[in-house]
Amino acid sequence: MERSNENKGGLVVSKNLFETTGDYLAEAFASLKDDDKYDAVLVGICAKILDTGSASGGDGEALALESTSVWGVMDKPFNLMIEMNDRKVRASGRSLSAFVDTAASVQDARTMAKCLSLSIKNGGASRYGSSQSSLTSFSGSYAKRKKRLEKLPEIPLDNRAAEVSGAVSFLTLASVCVATNPILTILGNNESPYPSLLLGGLILLGIVDNAFDALTFISKSVDKVPTLPEKDKMPFGIGKGEITGTVVAGLNRLITVDTERECQSEAAAFFVAYSLGLSCFAFQPNALEAAVMVFESNKKQDEAVFDSFLSIDGVTKMCIWLLAPVAMEKIKHPQLLVSDPREASGLLRRLRERAESMGISSDVMESLGLNDEEEAADLLKWAYAEADILVRTNMNICEELGECLAGGAATVGDCVGLLESW
């Protein structure tokens, strides 16, 4: 068989074969089914966008894919998926994963909502927003709401500032006590008794704070031992274990590195966002992102891709999302280390502070009840209970998602694929 004289990249091509059969690629592509053709093109376009600097900030060849459309570089993937839906061509899990990853790289909630909307029509995102109907609305009867609130658990307290400052103070004092005399000896000075006395005082404080009840019993049982004052009359709350508890919690916060715990909390946030139809998949949700999404959803949209979240139900869902990591960590552990319950209250504070500058009237804020501190506290308590129920009910899938994230290579598309069983 006659062969070409050129060897491009080590591939030897027959001239006679090209003369008889034409282009290999075109012939091979023509032999594919329509489903495979669309899959190949969709994956190729998405890979091109991701490989050339990400959809949100790419340059070079990625600019060739951009469009004057409001969707920018996502215009071609969106139009292709629309065509697939019109022709009833089902996308494979691989192409849907690439589609979701590309939309996620834009880092825009509207783009992600559009992506998932098209995926739902294609039959690949049936669980997106599936838990909304299971929520108990906060905007129901006031009497029923108050009755339920009385039975709901309180939001876990977070004293990380006091815990960390207490631990740092203890470590500083202990280090000074231990290091002072050796340093004095090196400098040729006499040792001082004060560092040892201070260190002994710290140890004694810890014993009294934790074993006050036992010491009180001994003082009452032994005649020659002076009677200790009542616990409530001790200065600085000594005897209740609060001081040593704060220091130990702070040390635990400073020392502990628990990847599994972090991944479990992130998985809970991801699952809750997806199941409630929130197109915001930050693995570590925060008040700022939630506030931006609420305000953006209230703006006029050229193409409506999601409803406004500036409603009592919308704000409640946002708070549930922010409190989902707290619920997961509290179920698994006695102390919160990686999640922060203050994010939900931070969202309500940002909404109050920025409402006027974002063109939202005071009447709207009054109707939501966010200006009423008691009403806002009830809303947060309600949202925490709903988050706790969602996480507990779906613990198995949350744990699977956590294991996926713990691998370190999971993308948004991988996580959605796990939830949808692609």
Side-chain angles (χ1 to χ4, degrees):
M1 180 180 289
E2 183 181 354
R3 298 186 181 277
S4 66
N5 296 324
E6 296 181 2
N7 185 352
K8 299 179 181 179
L11 179 64
V12 179
V13 183
S14 166
K15 284 185 177 179
N16 290 341
L17 192 58
F18 267 117
E19 290 173 0
T20 56
T21 61
D23 183 12
Y24 268 150
L25 180 62
E27 187 172 319
F29 195 76
S31 67
L32 297 175
K33 296 180 180 179
D34 284 346
D35 293 22
D36 296 329
K37 290 179 183 178
Y38 276 108
D39 270 343
V41 175
L42 182 58
V43 171
I45 291 175
C46 292
K48 189 73 171 178
I49 295 172
L50 292 172
D51 290 345
T52 49
S54 90
S56 59
D59 52 16
E61 291 181 298
L63 295 176
L65 290 173
E66 289 189 2
S67 166
T68 55
S69 165
V70 67
W71 302 114
V73 294
M74 289 301 298
D75 190 34
K76 285 183 179 293
F78 283 169
N79 286 334
L80 187 61
M81 183 61 80
I82 289 171
E83 185 174 315
M84 292 173 69
N85 291 341
D86 291 341
R87 296 189 177 187
K88 302 186 185 308
V89 176
R90 183 73 178 267
S92 68
R94 176 169 170 262
S95 59
L96 284 172
S97 180
F99 187 49
V100 171
D101 281 335
T102 308
S105 69
V106 178
Q107 299 179 6
D108 175 67
R110 291 182 65 251
T111 301
M112 179 56 75
K114 174 72 172 179
C115 167
L116 291 169
S117 174
L118 292 173
S119 299
I120 290 172
K121 292 178 182 178
N122 193 263
S126 59
R127 296 194 64 175
Y128 180 64
S130 60
S131 296
Q132 296 182 78
S133 59
S134 67
L135 297 179
T136 304
S137 177
F138 183 75
S139 57
S141 166
Y142 179 80
K144 290 182 179 179
R145 184 201 312 170
K146 282 297 182 183
K147 186 176 180 180
R148 185 184 183 222
L149 282 168
E150 292 175 357
K151 302 176 182 178
L152 296 181
E154 297 292 337
I155 299 177
L157 297 176
D158 187 279
N159 298 316
R160 64 188 63 199
E163 292 169 359
V164 171
S165 61
V168 170
S169 299
F170 171 78
L171 289 174
T172 303
L173 285 174
S175 299
V176 169
C177 293
V178 172
T180 298
N181 281 331
I183 293 174
L184 289 175
T185 302
I186 293 172
L187 296 176
N189 298 321
N190 295 326
E191 292 187 359
S192 171
Y194 297 110
S196 298
L197 289 174
L198 182 56
L199 184 60
L202 290 174
I203 296 173
L204 181 61
L205 175 62
I207 294 173
V208 173
D209 192 43
N210 281 285
F212 188 82
D213 292 335
L215 294 174
T216 301
F217 176 78
I218 294 172
S219 69
K220 291 180 179 179
S221 303
V222 181
D223 295 335
K224 295 182 179 181
V225 177
T227 302
L228 295 175
E230 295 180 8
K231 186 184 296 186
D232 294 336
K233 295 182 180 180
M234 292 289 288
F236 309 111
I238 296 174
K240 298 179 180 179
E242 294 177 357
I243 296 176
T244 49
T246 300
V247 171
V248 171
L251 291 172
N252 190 35
R253 194 178 292 279
L254 291 173
I255 297 171
T256 302
V257 178
D258 192 337
T259 303
E260 182 181 4
R261 177 187 289 211
E262 293 175 0
C263 292
Q264 287 174 344
S265 295
E266 292 171 0
F270 190 98
F271 170 78
V272 168
Y274 191 83
S275 64
L276 292 183
L278 304 178
S279 54
C280 44
F281 300 139
F283 293 113
Q284 294 180 334
N286 60 80
L288 177 59
E289 182 179 358
V292 169
M293 188 169 177
V294 171
F295 288 132
E296 287 294 322
S297 71
N298 196 52
K299 292 181 179 179
K300 184 179 179 180
Q301 305 173 40
D302 295 330
E303 179 181 348
V305 290
F306 50 48
D307 298 329
S308 172
F309 292 109
L310 196 62
S311 63
I312 193 62
D313 289 336
V315 173
T316 302
K317 284 195 287 186
M318 284 293 175
C319 290
I320 294 172
W321 171 51
L322 293 172
L323 290 169
V326 180
M328 171 60 89
E329 191 173 11
K330 195 61 180 175
I331 292 170
K332 297 280 188 177
H333 309 279
Q335 182 187 6
L336 301 181
L337 294 181
V338 299
S339 61
D340 191 347
R342 298 172 299 178
E343 292 292 345
S345 58
L347 167 64
L348 301 188
R349 186 182 67 256
R350 288 177 184 273
L351 294 180
R352 288 193 296 266
E353 293 174 351
R354 301 291 295 173
E356 186 176 353
S357 63
M358 298 301 294
I360 299 171
S361 66
S362 57
D363 293 339
V364 173
M365 298 303 293
E366 286 292 339
S367 66
L368 295 177
L370 300 183
N371 291 329
D372 187 328
E373 291 188 6
E374 183 180 352
E375 187 83 358
D378 288 345
L379 173 62
L380 294 176
K381 187 176 180 180
W382 191 280
Y384 175 70
E386 292 296 321
D388 184 73
I389 293 171
L390 268 178
V391 171
R392 288 181 185 275
T393 305
N394 300 276
M395 181 59 72
N396 289 339
I397 189 66
C398 287
E399 289 179 342
E400 286 183 36
L401 193 55
E403 292 173 2
C404 179
L405 292 173
T411 64
V412 174
D414 295 331
C415 294
V416 173
L418 177 63
L419 296 179
E420 295 290 351
S421 301
W422 290 340

